[in-house]
């Protein structure tokens, strides 16, 4: 498989988030806000914010409110809904909120969409899980033209639009960027292809998600071609978890803080698949299968290269924010990644390395020129003033030994 990568691979975080119910939820939300500010300072390009309404761990109910808050506290990072559950919202109301965010963030907002991840959310609203993907398709067919500023008339069995349009012309032209969540099934890839939208590959490092990367991309491309659209690999995001430290031993020690609570949530609460069985060492299992990286910056580099090879190329890697480690160690992990991993995939040091190698290749010649230039000045001083104030070390370095008359 041929691969294609942009000259500057982007990095960011996908923040569901995951907070065990043994801590203050208000402080947990504040820490999520601080995480996005930290990513912005470190130069990460994107942060995607989830929407959930049950199960206790994933606390953010409105990604739009969260994005509006962090937009005021950040400067550069782009902010996406990760994802808005389309079956929960009337399309006009959601389009209006996203369009307002597009304006107040001056184009920094991105619109990630999906059917809704937690069956418990759907249950509370009386939505049949089996219908959610069809509802997503219905909503997306309306949202795409609405977010381009077009007028939409559409009637489905769960919403009606009559001469519906946004009051404000979109800030981003022709529209905010739209990304469709995709895991194993072709649902997300087909929806993205139908509208020429981006793919947001959640669970890209799980066994099923990893194996489906290339096939789902092919499905998206074919669907796009069938509808006169085109797919852009640079807009494709892959999501996976990692925690890194200076050594593998330190990384393993760090995640003892919260890894088991995270695994408990996936195994017993969230009704989402997890491939780490109880009773085995989770760090060994996750590293061995590639589900996660718990190790060093070199291990993180290897994981991204593995994803490049499997996918054929993509535009952004998003850390699945997980709270496996303490807050200080979590921030350190993101910092190590920004310092030592991201530059490898962003060509940040190509010119520096070329300059260093050029200077090294010419080191002897440049050193000789430097010695010659300094020596000439020393010799001139001796000729004019004598050598009384010239140290023997300088004379020795200039090849004059203890015979300064050689300079005359």
């Amino acid at each position: 498989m041929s691969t294609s990568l942009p000259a500057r691979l982007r990095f960011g975080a996908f923040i569901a988030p995951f907070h065990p119910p043994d801590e203050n939820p208000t402080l947990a939300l504040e820490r999520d806000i601080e995480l996005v500010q930290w990513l912005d300072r470190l130069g990460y390009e994107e942060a995607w914010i989830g929407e959930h309404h049950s199960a206790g761990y994933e606390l953010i109910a409105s990604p739009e409110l969260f994005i509006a808050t962090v937009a005021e506290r950040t400067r550069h990072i782009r902010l996406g809904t990760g994802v808005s559950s389309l079956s929960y919202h009337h399309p006009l109301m959601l389009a209006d909120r996203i369009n307002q965010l597009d304006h107040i963030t001056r184009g920094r907002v991105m619109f990630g969409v999906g059917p809704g991840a937690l069956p418990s959310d759907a249950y509370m609203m009386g939505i049949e899980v089996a219908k959610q993907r069809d509802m997503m398709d219905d909503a997306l067919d309306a949202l795409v033209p609405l977010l381009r500023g077009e007028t939409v008339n559409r009637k489905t069995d769960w919403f009606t639009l009559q001469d519906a349009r946004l009051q404000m012309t979109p800030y981003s032209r022709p529209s905010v960027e739209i990304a469709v969540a995709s895991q194993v099934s072709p649902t997300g890839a087909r929806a993205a292809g139908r509208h020429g939208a981006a793919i947001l590959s959640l669970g890209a490092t799980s066994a099923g998600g990893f194996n489906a990367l290339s096939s789902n991309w092919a499905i998206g491309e074919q669907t796009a071609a069938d509808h006169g659209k085109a797919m852009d690999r640079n807009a494709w995001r892959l999501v996976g978890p990692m925690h890194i430290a200076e050594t593998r031993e330190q990384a393993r020690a760090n995640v003892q803080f919260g890894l088991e609570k995270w695994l408990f949530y996936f195994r017993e609460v969230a009704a989402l698949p997890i491939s780490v069985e109880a009773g085995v060492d989770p760090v060994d299992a996750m590293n061995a299968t590639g589900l996660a990286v718990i190790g060093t910056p070199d291990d993180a580099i290897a994981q991204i290269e593995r994803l490049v090879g499997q996918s054929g190329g993509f535009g952004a890697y998003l850390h699945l924010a997980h709270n496996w480690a303490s807050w200080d160690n979590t921030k350190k992990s993101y910092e190590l990644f920004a310092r030592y991993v991201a530059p490898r995939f962003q060509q940040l040091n190509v010119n520096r390395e070329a300059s260093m190698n050029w200077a090294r290749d010419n080191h002897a010649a440049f050193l000789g020129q430097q010695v010659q230039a300094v020596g000439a000045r020393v010799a001139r001083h001796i000729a004019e003033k004598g050598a009384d104030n010239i140290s023997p070390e300088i004379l020795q370095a200039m090849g004059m030994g203890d015979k300064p008359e050689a300079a005359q």
Side-chain angles (χ1 to χ4, degrees), residues 355-374:
S355 181
M356 179 185 70
N357 291 334
W358 170 72
R360 182 180 60 186
D361 292 343
N362 293 279
H363 180 261
F366 292 153
L367 182 60
Q369 293 170 16
Q370 181 77 349
V371 170
Q372 185 177 6
V374 173

Side-chain angles (χ1 to χ4, degrees), residues 24 34 103 110 124 174 185 187 286 304 306 339 357 384:
N24 185 319
E34 188 177 343
H103 280 268
M110 304 170 290
M124 291 194 300
S185 83
T187 301
M286 295 169 79
I304 294 171
R306 172 174 171 264
R339 291 176 64 187
N357 291 334
E384 294 174 355

Side-chain angles (χ1 to χ4, degrees), residues 208-221:
F210 181 81
N211 292 333
L213 287 175
S214 59
S215 60
N216 274 339
W217 179 258
I219 289 168
E221 279 196 314

Side-chain angles (χ1 to χ4, degrees), residues 323-340:
N323 291 297
W324 292 345
S326 70
W327 180 226
D328 286 342
N329 287 328
T330 295
K331 290 195 294 183
K332 183 65 173 180
S333 176
Y334 283 108
E335 181 184 357
L336 288 171
F337 189 96
R339 291 176 64 187
Y340 299 114

Side-chain angles (χ1 to χ4, degrees), residues 254-270:
N254 288 351
V255 301
Q256 299 307 307
F257 175 87
L259 178 57
E260 282 297 339
K261 295 176 183 178
W262 184 84
L263 290 170
F264 164 80
Y265 176 68
F266 277 90
R267 288 191 189 116
E268 302 189 30
V269 179

